[in-house]
Amino acid sequence: MEIRLCADPIALAQQTATEFFRLAKECVTTQGRFTVALAGGSTPQAAYTLLASAPYRAVMPWEQIFFFWGDERPVPPDHPESNYRMAYEALLSKIPVPSTHIYRIQAEQGAQQAAEDYEKQLRRFFRLAGDEYPRFDLILLGMGPDGHTASLFPGTSAVHETTRLVLAPWIAKLQSFRITLTPPVLCNAAQIIFGVGGAEKAEALQHVLQGTYQPDLYPAQLVKPIRGKLLWLVEKSAARLLLPPLTHLSDDSSLPAE
Ligand code: 6PG
């Protein structure tokens, strides 16, 4: 596991975009495609906007990239809370990615049906046998102030799922269903990148990274790639309780040549 300290939200977005580009080029070169599950929420939006802008837009192998989501809210794709809508507006509407390469969670069908259908789509796309899990080249994740990630929330049974690929748990604190990839899918990724910013997440981040293993309380602790890499990009304000303090500010925002 690597933890990289970012000075501010812009640096966090730059690091995310830099890693996305590096991985996309590597995967397309070595395997002819790049499969990525996008995170929702607000943190990744700036990174998606960067990816849709110069210099990334012109050099990314968009035609070989396949987009998925780590989770979705139970709303239609044009709803302000939709993770799909956020990614569409910040990135997908601005890049030449074939629409057939965008695997949206069709939450408007209702959470349970959407979860079942998404699981079928994953099994078909990744050509999975019965007990296999999909192996995404990259899964982008955020973390909430309560230590949730994707839509794996504290105290929900989804945290203990080992068979299903996609679930639609009832989240009592939100009084809402969510649709989410399950822990085994997250842990089967080749690369996980967490992007965490904001002072309100400092306490949870300290527990997740340095506290005792309590995944029911801090589901983000579940994310331990079995045969993959885990990178935490953490903004200074969120990292302030980590001991020893992180001091090296990562400024490796090496931009690709245009
Ligand atoms: C979602 C995300 C969720 C998010 C965290 C952090 O659907 O909201 O999947 O897991 O990453 O809640 O959200 P922010 O980036 O908005 O702080």
Side-chain angles (χ1 to χ4, degrees), residues 155-231:
T156 61
S157 57
V159 163
H160 301 288
E161 179 61 40
T162 56
T163 308
R164 291 284 304 276
L165 309 181
V166 189
L167 284 178
W170 173 255
I171 314 299
K173 73 183 292 188
L174 302 177
Q175 283 296 292
S176 165
F177 284 104
R178 285 283 189 93
I179 301 114
T180 185
L181 296 184
T182 57
V185 175
L186 301 183
C187 292
N188 203 41
Q191 171 83 56
I192 295 273
I193 297 179
F194 271 100
V196 182
E200 75 280 4
K201 300 181 184 180
E203 196 167 339
L205 189 66
Q206 196 278 329
H207 275 285
V208 167
L209 294 180
Q210 300 178 333
T212 52
Y213 185 63
Q214 299 172 286
D216 277 294
L217 293 178
Y218 299 99
Q221 289 184 316
L222 286 163
V223 183
K224 298 174 182 296
I226 300 157
R227 291 173 292 113
K229 294 178 183 171
L230 173 57
L231 170 61

Side-chain angles (χ1 to χ4, degrees), residues 63-110:
E63 287 77 10
Q64 284 79 40
I65 300 181
F66 295 82
F67 289 93
F68 299 81
W69 276 260
D71 73 327
E72 188 54 278
R73 290 80 179 278
V75 295
D78 58 354
H79 191 283
E81 287 188 18
S82 164
N83 286 337
Y84 166 82
R85 173 174 155 173
M86 183 274 278
Y88 180 80
E89 291 181 343
L91 175 60
L92 301 177
S93 59
K94 300 171 182 170
I95 57 174
V97 61
S99 58
T100 53
H101 287 202
I102 297 173
Y103 288 80
R104 178 175 70 83
I105 298 174
Q106 298 185 3
E108 66 276 14
Q109 297 176 69

Side-chain angles (χ1 to χ4, degrees), residues 38-44 70-73 81 83 141-146 148-153 178 195 197 200-201:
L38 299 177
S42 57
T43 304
D71 73 327
E72 188 54 278
R73 290 80 179 278
E81 287 188 18
N83 286 337
L141 291 172
M143 189 192 76
D146 59 358
H148 83 261
T149 190
S151 282
L152 300 171
F153 282 80
R178 285 283 189 93
E200 75 280 4
K201 300 181 184 180

